[in-house]
Amino acid sequence: VSCARARSTAARSALVRRSARIASAICGMPMASISLIDRDRQWFKARVGLAPRETPRDLAFCGHAILESGLFEVPDAELDPRFADNPLVTDAPHIRFYAGAPLCLSDGMRIGTICVIDRQPRQLNAMQREVLHCLAEAVARALEVRRAALATRVAAQELVRAALVEQHSADA
């Protein structure tokens, strides 16, 4: 069972990594990421063309995207007053274009984004927007399955512990 669980977890992790690569390729962007966002930071579960493993949430474009129910698109960050002085725009990686779709769990909670980034201003076409949306749904489901598997494993461990305590009490 543990080998099957390890293979299943590896398959979900591979799906997340592949989804970032697919988003980059379909949208023709040099950068893409799948990030999870908490109160203070975003950290990258998968990334293409990006070096950092995390960024402060107050700098993160994804911090804006997670607030939207649909795709959040910034055609030219240098012209957008929300981002024009952002260090991610003025310095490396020199973001000009950003599009991100929220990772929305079945309970409605938005936990992160899948996004594509370019150093040139641009816009996504309808097919690229749809692909990004579909990838966001697939990644969110994969993360939910992982969360459920972890909860099941914890519950099973608790049952084993309780059985061992009961057996120990009966032997004493």
Side-chain angles (χ1 to χ4, degrees):
V1 173
S2 62
C3 289
R5 187 178 324 129
R7 281 192 303 273
S8 179
T9 299
R12 284 188 296 277
S13 293
L15 173 92
V16 170
R17 287 190 307 275
R18 280 193 307 272
S19 294
R21 289 196 312 267
I22 290 167
S24 174
I26 294 288
C27 296
M29 305 280 174
M31 297 171 272
S33 74
I34 295 171
S35 62
L36 300 178
I37 300 171
D38 66 20
R39 188 174 47 118
D40 300 317
R41 68 186 175 121
Q42 80 171 346
W43 60 275
F44 300 113
K45 190 110 174 100
R47 61 193 193 282
V48 174
L50 292 166
R53 294 189 183 276
E54 67 179 62
T55 60
R57 182 173 177 161
D58 61 338
L59 296 180
F61 283 64
C62 297
H64 293 265
I66 198 172
L67 301 175
E68 302 292 325
S69 59
L71 187 73
F72 178 71
E73 193 168 355
V74 180
D76 189 340
E78 284 185 356
L79 301 178
D80 189 314
R82 296 170 295 182
F83 303 108
D85 64 349
N86 185 312
L88 299 173
V89 175
T90 59
D91 298 320
H94 301 284
I95 296 172
R96 289 290 295 277
F97 172 83
Y98 171 92
L103 304 177
C104 187
L105 302 179
S106 55
D107 65 3
M109 182 183 294
R110 296 182 200 126
I111 60 168
T113 64
I114 181 169
C115 71
V116 291
I117 302 167
D118 201 347
R119 293 179 185 91
Q120 304 298 320
R122 46 188 318 168
Q123 288 186 306
L124 296 179
N125 63 40
M127 185 270 303
Q128 292 167 327
R129 286 184 184 102
E130 179 64 18
V131 167
L132 209 54
H133 175 73
C134 290
L135 288 171
E137 288 180 348
V139 169
R141 294 302 78 77
L143 293 173
E144 280 189 307
V145 168
R146 183 174 190 279
R147 182 174 69 173
L150 288 172
T152 300
R153 186 172 74 196
V154 167
Q157 289 170 344
E158 289 298 319
L159 286 172
V160 168
R161 266 188 273 231
L164 290 173
V165 166
E166 187 176 317
Q167 181 182 356
H168 179 71
S169 297
D171 291 344

Short mmCIF file of all heavy atoms in Angstrom, two decimals, residues 33-45 50 52-64 88 95 98 111-113 115 117:
data_model
loop_
_atom_site.label_atom_id
_atom_site.label_comp_id
_atom_site.label_asym_id
_atom_site.label_seq_id
_atom_site.Cartn_x
_atom_site.Cartn_y
_atom_site.Cartn_z
N SER A 33 4.11 29.56 -13.43
CA SER A 33 4.24 28.98 -12.09
C SER A 33 2.89 28.51 -11.58
O SER A 33 1.84 28.94 -12.06
CB SER A 33 4.84 29.99 -11.10
OG SER A 33 3.89 30.97 -10.74
N ILE A 34 2.99 27.63 -10.61
CA ILE A 34 1.85 27.25 -9.79
C ILE A 34 2.27 27.61 -8.38
O ILE A 34 3.29 27.11 -7.88
CB ILE A 34 1.52 25.76 -9.94
CG1 ILE A 34 1.06 25.50 -11.38
CG2 ILE A 34 0.46 25.35 -8.92
CD1 ILE A 34 0.90 24.07 -11.74
N SER A 35 1.53 28.53 -7.80
CA SER A 35 1.93 29.00 -6.47
C SER A 35 0.79 28.82 -5.48
O SER A 35 -0.39 28.84 -5.85
CB SER A 35 2.34 30.47 -6.53
OG SER A 35 1.27 31.28 -6.95
N LEU A 36 1.18 28.62 -4.24
CA LEU A 36 0.25 28.58 -3.12
C LEU A 36 0.49 29.86 -2.33
O LEU A 36 1.63 30.32 -2.20
CB LEU A 36 0.48 27.34 -2.27
CG LEU A 36 0.32 26.02 -3.01
CD1 LEU A 36 0.61 24.85 -2.09
CD2 LEU A 36 -1.07 25.89 -3.62
N ILE A 37 -0.58 30.43 -1.82
CA ILE A 37 -0.49 31.75 -1.21
C ILE A 37 -1.05 31.70 0.20
O ILE A 37 -2.14 31.18 0.43
CB ILE A 37 -1.26 32.78 -2.07
CG1 ILE A 37 -0.65 32.81 -3.47
CG2 ILE A 37 -1.23 34.16 -1.41
CD1 ILE A 37 -1.42 33.62 -4.46
N ASP A 38 -0.27 32.24 1.14
CA ASP A 38 -0.77 32.39 2.50
C ASP A 38 -0.83 33.88 2.83
O ASP A 38 -0.70 34.73 1.93
CB ASP A 38 0.03 31.56 3.50
CG ASP A 38 1.47 32.01 3.69
OD1 ASP A 38 1.80 33.17 3.36
OD2 ASP A 38 2.28 31.21 4.20
N ARG A 39 -0.97 34.20 4.07
CA ARG A 39 -1.14 35.60 4.48
C ARG A 39 0.06 36.47 4.12
O ARG A 39 -0.10 37.64 3.76
CB ARG A 39 -1.37 35.64 5.99
CG ARG A 39 -1.76 36.97 6.55
CD ARG A 39 -2.11 36.84 8.02
NE ARG A 39 -1.08 36.07 8.70
CZ ARG A 39 -0.31 36.52 9.67
NH1 ARG A 39 -0.46 37.74 10.10
NH2 ARG A 39 0.60 35.76 10.24
N ASP A 40 1.27 35.90 4.18
CA ASP A 40 2.48 36.70 4.03
C ASP A 40 3.30 36.44 2.78
O ASP A 40 4.16 37.24 2.44
CB ASP A 40 3.40 36.47 5.25
CG ASP A 40 2.73 36.84 6.55
OD1 ASP A 40 2.08 37.90 6.59
OD2 ASP A 40 2.85 36.07 7.52
N ARG A 41 3.09 35.30 2.13
CA ARG A 41 3.98 34.95 1.02
C ARG A 41 3.25 34.10 -0.01
O ARG A 41 2.18 33.58 0.23
CB ARG A 41 5.19 34.19 1.53
CG ARG A 41 4.82 32.83 2.08
CD ARG A 41 5.96 32.10 2.74
NE ARG A 41 5.45 30.88 3.33
CZ ARG A 41 5.87 29.68 3.03
NH1 ARG A 41 6.84 29.51 2.17
NH2 ARG A 41 5.36 28.62 3.59
N GLN A 42 3.92 33.98 -1.15
CA GLN A 42 3.53 32.98 -2.13
C GLN A 42 4.74 32.09 -2.30
O GLN A 42 5.88 32.57 -2.30
CB GLN A 42 3.10 33.61 -3.45
CG GLN A 42 4.23 34.02 -4.35
CD GLN A 42 3.75 34.43 -5.73
OE1 GLN A 42 2.62 34.19 -6.12
NE2 GLN A 42 4.62 35.05 -6.47
N TRP A 43 4.51 30.80 -2.38
CA TRP A 43 5.62 29.90 -2.66
C TRP A 43 5.24 29.03 -3.84
O TRP A 43 4.09 28.71 -4.06
CB TRP A 43 6.07 29.11 -1.44
CG TRP A 43 5.05 28.24 -0.81
CD1 TRP A 43 4.11 28.58 0.11
CD2 TRP A 43 4.85 26.84 -1.05
NE1 TRP A 43 3.35 27.50 0.45
CE2 TRP A 43 3.79 26.42 -0.23
CE3 TRP A 43 5.49 25.91 -1.87
CZ2 TRP A 43 3.34 25.10 -0.22
CZ3 TRP A 43 5.03 24.59 -1.85
CH2 TRP A 43 3.99 24.21 -1.03
N PHE A 44 6.27 28.72 -4.62
CA PHE A 44 6.06 28.07 -5.90
C PHE A 44 6.10 26.56 -5.76
O PHE A 44 7.11 25.99 -5.38
CB PHE A 44 7.09 28.55 -6.92
CG PHE A 44 7.04 30.04 -7.14
CD1 PHE A 44 8.07 30.85 -6.74
CD2 PHE A 44 5.93 30.61 -7.73
CE1 PHE A 44 8.02 32.22 -6.93
CE2 PHE A 44 5.86 31.98 -7.93
CZ PHE A 44 6.91 32.79 -7.52
N LYS A 45 4.99 25.93 -6.08
CA LYS A 45 4.90 24.47 -6.09
C LYS A 45 5.53 23.93 -7.37
O LYS A 45 6.05 22.82 -7.40
CB LYS A 45 3.41 24.09 -6.02
CG LYS A 45 3.14 22.66 -5.79
CD LYS A 45 2.59 22.45 -4.41
CE LYS A 45 2.16 21.03 -4.19
NZ LYS A 45 3.12 20.25 -3.46
N LEU A 50 11.57 30.78 -13.66
CA LEU A 50 11.64 31.63 -12.46
C LEU A 50 12.60 31.01 -11.46
O LEU A 50 12.52 29.81 -11.20
CB LEU A 50 10.26 31.77 -11.81
CG LEU A 50 9.22 32.55 -12.59
CD1 LEU A 50 7.83 32.32 -12.00
CD2 LEU A 50 9.55 34.03 -12.61
N PRO A 52 13.30 32.24 -7.96
CA PRO A 52 12.97 32.18 -6.53
C PRO A 52 11.96 31.08 -6.21
O PRO A 52 11.14 30.71 -7.05
CB PRO A 52 12.38 33.56 -6.23
CG PRO A 52 11.93 34.10 -7.53
CD PRO A 52 12.80 33.46 -8.59
N ARG A 53 12.06 30.56 -5.01
CA ARG A 53 11.11 29.55 -4.54
C ARG A 53 9.89 30.19 -3.89
O ARG A 53 8.86 29.55 -3.73
CB ARG A 53 11.78 28.61 -3.54
CG ARG A 53 12.87 27.77 -4.17
CD ARG A 53 13.33 26.70 -3.19
NE ARG A 53 14.41 25.93 -3.75
CZ ARG A 53 14.24 24.90 -4.57
NH1 ARG A 53 13.04 24.54 -4.91
NH2 ARG A 53 15.29 24.25 -5.03
N GLU A 54 10.02 31.45 -3.47
CA GLU A 54 8.90 32.16 -2.86
C GLU A 54 9.13 33.66 -2.98
O GLU A 54 10.26 34.10 -3.24
CB GLU A 54 8.69 31.78 -1.41
CG GLU A 54 9.80 32.19 -0.47
CD GLU A 54 9.51 31.78 0.97
OE1 GLU A 54 9.40 30.57 1.23
OE2 GLU A 54 9.40 32.69 1.82
N THR A 55 8.05 34.43 -2.83
CA THR A 55 8.13 35.88 -2.80
C THR A 55 7.16 36.39 -1.75
O THR A 55 6.19 35.72 -1.41
CB THR A 55 7.77 36.54 -4.16
OG1 THR A 55 6.43 36.18 -4.49
CG2 THR A 55 8.71 36.12 -5.27
N PRO A 56 7.43 37.59 -1.21
CA PRO A 56 6.46 38.17 -0.28
C PRO A 56 5.13 38.42 -0.99
O PRO A 56 5.10 38.81 -2.15
CB PRO A 56 7.10 39.50 0.13
CG PRO A 56 8.53 39.40 -0.25
CD PRO A 56 8.60 38.43 -1.39
N ARG A 57 4.04 38.19 -0.29
CA ARG A 57 2.71 38.35 -0.90
C ARG A 57 2.47 39.78 -1.38
O ARG A 57 1.83 39.99 -2.39
CB ARG A 57 1.62 37.92 0.07
CG ARG A 57 0.24 38.03 -0.58
CD ARG A 57 -0.85 37.47 0.26
NE ARG A 57 -2.14 37.67 -0.42
CZ ARG A 57 -3.21 37.00 -0.14
NH1 ARG A 57 -3.19 36.07 0.77
NH2 ARG A 57 -4.33 37.25 -0.79
N ASP A 58 3.01 40.75 -0.67
CA ASP A 58 2.75 42.13 -1.07
C ASP A 58 3.39 42.51 -2.40
O ASP A 58 3.00 43.50 -3.02
CB ASP A 58 3.14 43.12 0.03
CG ASP A 58 4.61 43.08 0.39
OD1 ASP A 58 5.28 42.06 0.13
OD2 ASP A 58 5.10 44.08 0.94
N LEU A 59 4.33 41.70 -2.91
CA LEU A 59 4.92 41.93 -4.23
C LEU A 59 4.28 41.05 -5.30
O LEU A 59 4.45 41.29 -6.49
CB LEU A 59 6.42 41.63 -4.21
CG LEU A 59 7.31 42.50 -3.34
CD1 LEU A 59 8.75 42.06 -3.47
CD2 LEU A 59 7.14 43.97 -3.68
N ALA A 60 3.56 40.03 -4.88
CA ALA A 60 3.09 38.98 -5.79
C ALA A 60 1.89 39.41 -6.62
O ALA A 60 0.87 39.85 -6.08
CB ALA A 60 2.72 37.73 -4.99
N PHE A 61 2.02 39.29 -7.92
CA PHE A 61 0.87 39.47 -8.82
C PHE A 61 -0.20 38.45 -8.45
O PHE A 61 -1.39 38.74 -8.52
CB PHE A 61 1.30 39.25 -10.28
CG PHE A 61 2.05 40.39 -10.89
CD1 PHE A 61 3.28 40.80 -10.42
CD2 PHE A 61 1.51 41.07 -11.98
CE1 PHE A 61 3.97 41.84 -11.00
CE2 PHE A 61 2.19 42.12 -12.58
CZ PHE A 61 3.43 42.51 -12.09
N CYS A 62 0.23 37.26 -8.07
CA CYS A 62 -0.71 36.19 -7.73
C CYS A 62 -1.56 36.56 -6.51
O CYS A 62 -2.68 36.07 -6.36
CB CYS A 62 0.04 34.89 -7.48
SG CYS A 62 0.90 34.27 -8.94
N GLY A 63 -1.05 37.45 -5.64
CA GLY A 63 -1.83 37.93 -4.52
C GLY A 63 -3.06 38.71 -4.97
O GLY A 63 -4.07 38.75 -4.26
N HIS A 64 -2.99 39.31 -6.14
CA HIS A 64 -4.16 39.98 -6.73
C HIS A 64 -5.05 38.95 -7.44
O HIS A 64 -6.27 39.02 -7.33
CB HIS A 64 -3.71 41.04 -7.75
CG HIS A 64 -2.99 42.18 -7.12
ND1 HIS A 64 -3.62 43.35 -6.76
CD2 HIS A 64 -1.69 42.34 -6.78
CE1 HIS A 64 -2.74 44.18 -6.23
NE2 HIS A 64 -1.56 43.59 -6.23
N LEU A 88 9.41 43.48 -9.04
CA LEU A 88 9.37 42.39 -10.02
C LEU A 88 9.17 42.92 -11.44
O LEU A 88 9.38 42.20 -12.41
CB LEU A 88 8.27 41.38 -9.67
CG LEU A 88 8.40 40.70 -8.31
CD1 LEU A 88 7.17 39.87 -8.00
CD2 LEU A 88 9.66 39.86 -8.25
N ILE A 95 8.88 41.72 -15.17
CA ILE A 95 7.55 41.31 -15.62
C ILE A 95 6.87 42.46 -16.35
O ILE A 95 6.82 43.58 -15.85
CB ILE A 95 6.68 40.86 -14.42
CG1 ILE A 95 7.27 39.61 -13.77
CG2 ILE A 95 5.23 40.64 -14.85
CD1 ILE A 95 6.61 39.21 -12.47
N TYR A 98 1.26 39.51 -17.26
CA TYR A 98 0.91 38.49 -16.27
C TYR A 98 -0.53 38.06 -16.52
O TYR A 98 -1.41 38.90 -16.74
CB TYR A 98 1.01 39.06 -14.84
CG TYR A 98 0.46 38.11 -13.80
CD1 TYR A 98 1.29 37.20 -13.16
CD2 TYR A 98 -0.89 38.11 -13.48
CE1 TYR A 98 0.78 36.32 -12.23
CE2 TYR A 98 -1.41 37.23 -12.55
CZ TYR A 98 -0.56 36.34 -11.93
OH TYR A 98 -1.07 35.45 -11.00
N ILE A 111 -6.66 28.94 -3.01
CA ILE A 111 -5.41 28.67 -2.28
C ILE A 111 -4.16 29.10 -3.03
O ILE A 111 -3.07 29.11 -2.46
CB ILE A 111 -5.29 27.18 -1.92
CG1 ILE A 111 -5.30 26.33 -3.19
CG2 ILE A 111 -6.40 26.78 -0.96
CD1 ILE A 111 -4.90 24.88 -2.95
N GLY A 112 -4.29 29.44 -4.29
CA GLY A 112 -3.12 29.81 -5.08
C GLY A 112 -3.52 30.10 -6.51
O GLY A 112 -4.70 30.33 -6.80
N THR A 113 -2.53 30.05 -7.40
CA THR A 113 -2.79 30.35 -8.81
C THR A 113 -1.90 29.51 -9.71
O THR A 113 -0.88 28.99 -9.29
CB THR A 113 -2.50 31.83 -9.14
OG1 THR A 113 -1.10 32.07 -8.96
CG2 THR A 113 -3.30 32.78 -8.30
N CYS A 115 -0.11 30.61 -13.27
CA CYS A 115 0.05 31.84 -14.02
C CYS A 115 1.12 31.71 -15.10
O CYS A 115 1.96 30.80 -15.05
CB CYS A 115 0.41 33.00 -13.10
SG CYS A 115 2.08 32.92 -12.42
N ILE A 117 3.82 34.36 -17.43
CA ILE A 117 4.48 35.67 -17.32
C ILE A 117 5.38 35.88 -18.52
O ILE A 117 6.03 34.94 -19.00
CB ILE A 117 5.32 35.72 -16.02
CG1 ILE A 117 4.44 35.47 -14.80
CG2 ILE A 117 6.07 37.04 -15.91
CD1 ILE A 117 5.21 35.19 -13.53
#
